[in-house]
Amino acid sequence: DSPFFESCGPFRGRKGSVYEGGIRVPLIANWPGKVPAGQVSNHISAFWDVLPSCADLAGVEVPAGVDGISFLPSLLGKGVEKQHEYLYWEFPGYRGQQALRWGDWKAVRRNLVTGEIKTQLYNLATDPGEARDLSTNKPEVLSQIERWMIEAHNASPEYPLQTIDRDASLSDRFPQISK
């Protein structure tokens, strides 16, 4: 019972959603003698960073084609790792969703199956609950993020994003955006 337990705290959405309530999860690590006790990091990462971090820890090569970046330096309190230019999520569930985070900016698209695609834009530094859509106020930020959404999307026959994957190309859906 998400509302009763307030499982998403102050964040919008819940499990399965690309809003912060569905994707923002803290990482808690306990490794005596390796991970400094009480250490807090604001490093932003995603699940796909776990494999490169484990590979880094084991001293093995990360498999080719993996998008993740090891967060081992932050975890061990030994420096700063390379940062993602942006983080991208897409879920075919809930009628198709996409989200992209770039620094403090986050864009969300929902209900992609309808074909009426509108991109919402939020500044997570000032609005972590994603309550104020700034898409009309920041067209240059919105345009950059929409270009990255086109670039980051890979059509999947197993998990199609309905309307988007059915079309000849994603850029045809957004003629105002060029790669």
Side-chain angles (χ1 to χ4, degrees):
D1 188 349
S2 293
F4 178 80
F5 289 105
E6 297 179 3
S7 64
C8 298
F11 303 114
R12 180 177 180 178
R14 59 176 74 151
K15 186 176 174 94
S17 165
V18 294
Y19 289 111
E20 291 296 285
I23 61 175
R24 185 183 284 221
V25 179
L27 171 69
I28 301 171
N30 179 17
W31 190 7
K34 297 289 184 179
V35 175
Q39 173 180 292
V40 175
S41 170
N42 290 321
H43 173 69
I44 297 168
S45 62
F47 181 73
W48 43 93
D49 294 332
V50 172
L51 175 62
S53 301
C54 290
D56 194 11
L57 184 62
V60 298
E61 285 291 318
V62 177
V66 172
D67 292 332
I69 298 171
S70 174
F71 54 76
L72 194 59
S74 283
L75 187 64
L76 300 178
K78 295 182 177 178
V80 179
E81 56 281 307
K82 179 182 169 190
Q83 301 292 310
H84 289 278
E85 184 171 14
Y86 58 80
L87 293 170
Y88 173 76
W89 297 263
E90 65 179 50
F91 298 136
Y94 298 103
R95 301 173 56 157
Q97 308 172 74
Q98 292 175 296
L100 190 140
R101 180 168 180 165
W102 174 39
D104 290 334
W105 293 105
K106 167 114 175 271
V108 173
R109 289 181 177 154
R110 299 178 50 233
N111 301 315
L112 299 176
V113 71
T114 65
E116 297 173 30
I117 300 170
K118 179 186 181 322
T119 308
Q120 303 162 357
L121 182 67
Y122 303 98
N123 184 323
L124 297 178
T126 59
D127 181 22
E130 297 167 296
R132 293 178 298 281
D133 180 0
L134 301 174
S135 59
T136 57
N137 301 19
K138 297 289 184 180
E140 68 288 347
V141 173
L142 184 67
S143 178
Q144 176 60 62
I145 288 176
E146 286 180 326
R147 278 193 292 277
W148 280 329
M149 284 178 146
I150 290 169
E151 176 184 298
H153 172 73
N154 289 312
S156 167
E158 291 85 15
Y159 301 102
L161 282 179
Q162 301 290 336
T163 301
I164 288 177
D165 287 346
R166 209 171 34 229
D167 290 341
S169 83
L170 198 58
S171 57
D172 289 344
R173 299 254 350 123
F174 303 97
Q176 74 276 19
I177 303 169
S178 60
K179 272 192 173 183

